[in-house]
Amino acid sequence: QVQLVETGGGLVQTGGSLRLSCAASGNIFRINAMGWYRQAPGKQREMVATKTTGGSTYYADSVKGRFTISRDNAENTVYLQMNSLKPEDTAVYYCNANVNTNWDDRSDYWGQGTQVTVSS
């Protein structure tokens, strides 16, 4: 199995910044992509940012220009730098990793979630 451990959530005022980190460990043969999703109360979980091991990066339109995703492939870690935070960014943020545990088995894994609250 694969475990994802997130750190870095918290409470911040509008316009502030936070940095989330997520470290993957366990039975990892290859990580194909790592990223961040979020879920606000009463809403569906949505993709925030994803970065493939090949270097391709994807952002939700709502965070472009404010959030930056980065990865340390050697450490199986992904980061999300969040700047110019808005109240609508308030959500539980989940780390996601698409992982091969061997040549044939490929699955998505999720962290436990970390709360980000932006006060107005």
Side-chain angles (χ1 to χ4, degrees), residues 8 20 22 32 45 48-50 52 67-68 72 75 86 95-96 114 116-117:
L20 306 182
C22 171
N32 304 299
R45 189 174 297 190
V48 176
T50 299
T52 69
F67 291 10
T68 302
D72 183 334
E75 298 294 329
K86 304 175 181 180
C95 177
N96 169 270
T114 185
V116 171
T117 302

Side-chain angles (χ1 to χ4, degrees), residues 73-84:
N73 291 333
E75 298 294 329
N76 293 334
T77 300
V78 64
Y79 305 95
L80 185 68
Q81 178 65 43
M82 304 185 292
N83 298 328
S84 302

Side-chain angles (χ1 to χ4, degrees), residues 33-113:
M34 295 186 78
W36 295 92
Y37 287 67
R38 68 186 180 186
Q39 187 166 19
K43 295 188 177 181
Q44 289 189 330
R45 189 174 297 190
E46 63 175 356
M47 190 276 292
V48 176
T50 299
K51 191 172 185 71
T52 69
T53 299
S56 297
T57 303
Y58 305 91
Y59 292 99
D61 288 342
S62 59
V63 307
K64 285 180 181 176
R66 300 187 298 121
F67 291 10
T68 302
I69 188 170
S70 60
R71 284 182 57 185
D72 183 334
N73 291 333
E75 298 294 329
N76 293 334
T77 300
V78 64
Y79 305 95
L80 185 68
Q81 178 65 43
M82 304 185 292
N83 298 328
S84 302
L85 282 160
K86 304 175 181 180
E88 50 263 43
D89 294 317
T90 295
V92 178
Y93 283 69
Y94 295 91
C95 177
N96 169 270
N98 184 270
V99 178
N100 272 82
T101 52
N102 54 52
W103 281 110
D104 299 319
D105 294 328
R106 178 173 180 169
S107 298
D108 278 315
Y109 296 88
W110 296 90
Q112 77 282 4

